[in-house]
Amino acid sequence: MATEPSAPAATTTTAATTAEVTRLPAFSPDLYQRAWASIPHPTLPLIATCHHHSVTVFSLSTLSKHSVLTGGHTRSVRSAAWQPPRGKVASGNGKEAKRLRLVTGSFDTTAGVWTWDQGRREERLEREVRLLQNNSEGDKGGEEEEEDEWELTLVLEGHENEVKSVNYSPSGQYLATCSRDKSVWIWEDVGNPNPSSEEQEEEEEDEDEWETVAVLQEHDGDVKAVTWCPDVPGRKSKYAPPRRYGDDVLASASYDNTVRLWREDGDGEWVCVAVLEGHEGTVWGVAWEGKPRENDKFPRLLSWGADEVVRVWSLREPEEEEEGHAEGAAGGNNSWGFGVPNTMRRSLKEEWECTAVLPKVHKGDIYSVAWSTETGLLASVGSDGVLALYQETTSTIAPEKKTEEEDEEMTNGDAPTTNATAAATAPGSWKVLTTVKSAHGPYEINHITWCKRYDAGSERKGEEEMLVTTGDDGVVRPWQVRIQ
Amino acid sequence: MAKSDLDNANPTVLSVSQLPSRNLAKGHERRGPDSKYDHILFPKQWWAGSSLNNDPSVWTSDEDEDDDLTLATEEPIDEQEIYGKNYAPSGCTCMARRNLLSTISDPEHPVTLGQIAVVRLDDIHLSPSPAERLDPNTLTNVEVDLTPTVNHCSLATVIGLAVRVRLENALPPNYRIIVRMKDGSHAQDDQVNKQLGDKERVAAALENDTLKGIIEKMLETCV
């Protein structure tokens, strides 16, 4: 592994890092059937796992079942997204914990909006207790109906085929859904028109009302995943020239081997601002950088897929963007050309380039990659059952002329070893810290995520990060990660 | 490219007795989470592993150290039983595989896939060969190239799906199943292959009652 000589140029944090990934006991109970994904709540110690027609929510403190969402979908639930915390993030865990909202995307073509209302549950319990007291012979059968805690409060219909992914924008204003019908839908939460305003906070009674604001149909194949850029420093950026667009940026990954980026223009229209081409198979997912480097113009983007490759994409410098347009008009755009036809290039609003390809580890589809907001480490899983951990080896500013190497990288995506060495001195190159084989025994692993630790074994509850993997075996497994 | 109505109207049919048959031991049938027909809870399989070995050090070893990892506690799958005694590239191994598949019915004709040579002995490959595998977690690729009877066969995807389902249900979870149309055997082989290789689409297709019905029917003739 540690073959790359440390880069000659200044590095900020890289020393000889070693990492230890240790398996922790799985969440209980096992689900005994394929589980697709586990999504941690942004602020609370909860994680929601999609499996069969339902979602099981586990507690990150007890590592056991918290509640179950069931009965709302007639086919498999493929994905889930937590509503982001409203208003001031720190505004009292107590209140938020009483009201949770989760959106589920299902193969039954719908997305479900679910609400968990602690207050209502307490009322019901009280009523039951009263009933019991009045009628001491009452059967206690109903007591354990945890499923009732979650209520399906709204069904979002519109997609023609299976919904593959759902995701909230950082403010909670928008929800994106995508489907095998090749479309991406953007929904706006109009029941709670100004989610970030603080007066709203006291009102528990925001309504479930969503409006379709866009149906985007430019992909040529199933849309596998949608992810909004998080609200990190750099998103609204210094990145000139003055943007005509809204702040929210959505990335979509597709069976057509591409990634597309979408923004809202000044007139409420959502438009495709970039097509990222380079993968040679289905793109299974995309992830934004949660903690951008200081000198970056904009958060970077990861994409991964059936071609066993993970790519890192960066927004190009605005000046060059203009040059690019000029060249594009003149038809001589080769140094940046990676397959986008000239006619199309001119109409694109943003130029994204592939600035790194991760060392190749997986044999078979890569289903999921997670980017840590704390450490910047990446972790990937796939059909080969391997869990891999990567670290960026340099974090300096990109020198101006690296174009040749990068071009090479882009065209030789499937020649990982040469890439790894060629990229060793380039900015934004990555090395493998460690791998775990058979992380779910012989089963495929469908999902990996970073999340905070709250269990008794943690030394720094609420701060320490761990990994959670979700597999075909129905096991949801936390992993301790120690970096030296 | 003579147009024969929907399918091959007059396929070459082999006699059933020519096709060797072998029953899989029941206990070895795969009942993993992707077995579409076993929705009921089933006892945890030995290969799910989580309770077998909670010693982290065993599981977090580096790639290279995994070779001496042995799970001696459980009854191993009897590979001899599945693959036959003398492994040879186109011999017993493939015969065994062929038995899993050759008895699947054609969706249109009252014949099996083996009889009309949609599934062929020489187009089934295992890697690494069973003899080389020690650890039950070692992944084995099963590659099956199908030959549709006519190159525009509209049912190619359904046949491919049935083959995939059959193998997923019958084989342990360390098998990675790749079902393809043989090169040039089908007009849209790339599309069909991509679809058959897409786990998510396969999973969704099997929740479609119509498709599921067709496939169940095709698999009825399997022992």
Side-chain angles (χ1 to χ4, degrees):
Chain A
M1 253 160 254
T3 49
E4 299 126 51
S6 54
T11 64
T12 48
T13 49
T14 325
T17 311
T18 58
E20 212 185 315
V21 175
T22 316
R23 117 203 300 258
L24 297 169
F27 286 90
S28 68
D30 282 1
L31 304 168
Y32 294 114
Q33 59 192 177
R34 171 183 286 157
W36 283 110
S38 298
I39 313 297
H41 189 281
T43 53
L44 300 170
L46 297 172
I47 188 163
T49 299
C50 310
H51 60 104
H52 198 51
H53 300 176
S54 52
V55 174
T56 296
V57 179
F58 294 105
S59 158
L60 289 168
S61 324
T62 64
L63 303 178
S64 59
K65 187 169 85 176
H66 166 273
S67 54
V68 182
L69 291 71
T70 189
H73 289 292
T74 55
R75 294 195 187 174
S76 286
V77 177
R78 176 67 181 88
S79 61
W82 293 96
Q83 183 182 53
R86 296 300 174 96
K88 300 163 287 181
V89 176
S91 73
N93 271 355
K95 197 181 300 157
E96 281 182 33
K98 289 196 169 192
R99 190 181 176 86
L100 302 168
R101 190 166 283 162
L102 189 78
V103 176
T104 48
S106 165
F107 285 171
D108 70 9
T109 77
T110 69
V113 182
W114 301 74
T115 307
W116 191 84
D117 205 320
Q118 180 71 44
R120 197 175 301 173
R121 185 194 171 212
E122 281 165 0
E123 263 174 43
R124 199 171 53 230
L125 272 180
E126 279 171 29
R127 202 168 50 228
E128 274 170 25
V129 168
R130 269 201 308 275
L131 276 174
L132 272 178
Q133 285 166 346
N134 293 346
N135 170 11
S136 52
E137 281 303 302
D139 62 329
K140 301 176 70 184
E143 204 177 322
E144 275 301 313
E145 289 191 1
E146 291 174 53
E147 287 81 1
D148 285 351
E149 292 166 8
W150 282 99
E151 196 185 339
L152 179 61
T153 46
L154 190 69
V155 176
L156 301 176
E157 289 176 320
H159 282 293
E160 286 169 26
N161 302 109
E162 303 94 65
V163 173
K164 309 257 172 147
S165 169
V166 292
N167 225 300
Y168 267 104
S169 71
S171 68
Q173 184 185 2
Y174 298 113
L175 182 77
T177 59
C178 64
S179 161
R180 184 163 67 83
D181 66 14
K182 305 178 186 177
S183 70
V184 174
W185 288 48
I186 297 175
W187 313 74
E188 186 171 4
D189 185 351
V190 291
N192 188 19
N194 197 355
S196 49
S197 88
E198 294 170 14
E199 305 98 64
Q200 193 90 24
E201 195 57 29
E202 297 305 319
E203 301 303 322
E204 292 283 326
E205 288 307 315
D206 51 341
E207 291 168 36
D208 282 296
E209 201 181 335
W210 291 81
E211 209 167 73
T212 312
V213 294
V215 177
L216 309 166
Q217 294 181 298
E218 288 167 50
H219 275 297
D220 295 325
D222 313 20
V223 188
K224 295 294 195 185
V226 279
T227 312
W228 294 91
C229 180
D231 190 8
V232 291
R235 185 179 74 138
K236 296 175 184 171
S237 89
K238 27 190 176 172
Y239 146 65
R243 277 278 136 197
R244 295 177 293 127
Y245 296 127
D247 294 327
D248 286 312
V249 188
L250 179 71
S252 59
S254 169
Y255 191 76
D256 69 10
N257 303 358
T258 70
V259 171
R260 284 178 180 264
L261 300 181
W262 313 85
R263 278 175 177 271
E264 190 221 315
D265 70 10
D267 302 323
E269 288 289 313
W270 288 81
V271 292
C272 177
V273 295
V275 182
L276 279 48
E277 295 186 322
H279 282 288
E280 289 167 8
T282 297
V283 186
W284 279 111
V286 276
W288 292 92
E289 185 171 23
K291 184 188 167 194
R293 302 172 298 181
E294 269 185 23
N295 295 306
D296 275 350
K297 297 285 178 281
F298 198 81
R300 291 175 293 171
L301 184 70
L302 284 179
S303 63
W304 58 88
D307 61 358
E308 308 173 359
V309 175
V310 183
R311 292 175 177 275
V312 184
W313 306 85
S314 307
L315 182 64
R316 261 179 74 193
E317 315 265 332
E319 313 86 71
E320 290 177 21
E321 189 185 351
E322 273 149 41
E323 261 175 50
H325 278 301
E327 282 173 25
N333 208 356
N334 287 337
S335 63
W336 297 99
F338 41 98
V340 184
N342 272 345
T343 48
M344 228 169 152
R345 286 179 84 77
R346 233 167 291 144
S347 67
L348 293 182
K349 312 297 191 304
E350 289 184 359
E351 299 278 345
W352 285 73
E353 57 179 318
C354 178
T355 46
V357 174
L358 265 60
K360 196 162 171 179
V361 175
H362 293 284
K363 289 186 184 135
D365 291 43
I366 299 173
Y367 289 130
S368 182
V369 182
W371 200 335
S372 164
T373 53
E374 297 291 313
T375 59
L377 297 182
L378 294 182
S380 65
V381 292
S383 66
D384 60 0
V386 171
L387 187 170
L389 193 66
Y390 315 79
Q391 184 183 41
E392 190 160 23
T393 52
T394 61
S395 51
T396 48
I397 319 158
E400 282 307 308
K401 44 182 175 86
K402 276 291 170 193
T403 58
E404 269 177 52
E405 279 171 43
E406 282 160 7
D407 269 3
E408 213 167 58
E409 243 172 57
M410 285 183 287
T411 49
N412 295 348
D414 50 359
T417 44
T418 51
N419 274 342
T421 47
T425 56
S429 70
W430 295 76
K431 68 172 181 183
V432 178
L433 283 181
T434 185
T435 61
V436 180
K437 269 172 79 178
S438 307
H440 280 241
Y443 287 97
E444 300 194 352
I445 306 175
N446 296 319
H447 187 258
I448 188 164
T449 183
W450 292 94
C451 73
K452 295 283 177 6
R453 268 188 91 167
Y454 295 92
D455 59 285
S458 171
E459 289 158 14
R460 296 175 295 120
K461 283 187 194 175
E463 291 175 32
E464 183 183 350
E465 269 194 317
M466 64 177 179
L467 287 166
V468 175
T469 54
T470 307
D472 270 358
D473 50 357
V475 172
V476 183
R477 159 112 33 221
W479 302 83
Q480 174 179 290
V481 181
R482 286 277 151 81
I483 312 290
Q484 265 109 39
Chain B
M1 272 279 253
K3 166 85 179 158
S4 56
D5 45 350
L6 259 179
D7 52 73
N8 190 348
N10 189 18
T12 316
V13 178
L14 307 177
S15 144
V16 184
S17 61
Q18 288 177 271
L19 307 169
S21 87
R22 184 206 298 257
N23 297 338
L24 264 189
K26 269 278 185 289
H28 295 154
E29 285 192 32
R30 181 180 188 176
R31 275 174 285 169
D34 40 357
S35 313
K36 299 305 172 312
Y37 308 109
D38 295 310
H39 289 317
I40 339 130
L41 282 191
F42 48 84
K44 192 162 181 179
Q45 301 296 312
W46 60 267
W47 52 68
S50 74
S51 60
L52 288 175
N53 207 331
N54 279 324
D55 174 5
S57 62
V58 176
W59 289 91
T60 56
S61 50
D62 277 331
E63 274 183 49
D64 305 332
E65 297 166 16
D66 267 18
D67 282 349
D68 48 18
L69 184 153
T70 47
L71 298 170
T73 47
E74 69 293 316
E75 185 198 346
I77 287 187
D78 185 355
E79 288 162 345
Q80 305 296 320
E81 175 74 18
I82 298 177
Y83 298 110
K85 291 245 177 339
N86 304 305
Y87 174 71
S90 60
C92 303
T93 305
C94 298
M95 294 293 260
R97 262 342 74 241
R98 185 181 185 180
N99 274 336
L100 280 182
L101 301 177
S102 65
T103 50
I104 299 174
S105 302
D106 183 271
E108 291 184 321
H109 290 289
V111 292
T112 65
L113 297 185
Q115 286 173 305
I116 52 174
V118 170
V119 180
R120 297 179 188 185
L121 197 65
D122 294 339
D123 292 332
I124 300 173
H125 300 283
L126 286 168
S127 63
S129 74
E132 295 166 19
R133 293 177 299 106
L134 304 163
D135 177 347
N137 288 340
T138 304
L139 302 185
T140 301
N141 288 326
V142 185
E143 298 177 47
V144 181
D145 290 330
L146 302 176
T147 313
T149 50
V150 284
N151 77 350
H152 54 272
C153 182
S154 55
L155 290 165
T157 315
V158 176
I159 294 174
L161 208 51
V163 167
R164 198 178 152 141
V165 168
R166 173 69 171 147
L167 292 177
E168 283 185 354
N169 288 343
L171 298 173
N174 61 314
Y175 284 76
R176 294 294 181 265
I177 294 144
I178 301 153
V179 179
R180 292 178 299 226
M181 299 298 123
K182 199 172 180 177
D183 265 353
S185 67
H186 192 273
Q188 284 114 29
D189 52 2
D190 282 351
Q191 283 176 41
V192 175
N193 293 348
K194 191 169 184 178
Q195 237 173 312
L196 289 174
D198 185 315
K199 170 186 196 171
E200 194 179 53
R201 288 182 74 139
V202 169
L206 294 174
E207 290 188 43
N208 176 321
D209 290 335
T210 317
L211 253 180
K212 198 173 147 184
I214 297 174
I215 288 166
E216 271 168 357
K217 199 131 192 271
M218 292 171 71
L219 297 184
E220 266 171 14
T221 47
C222 295
V223 189

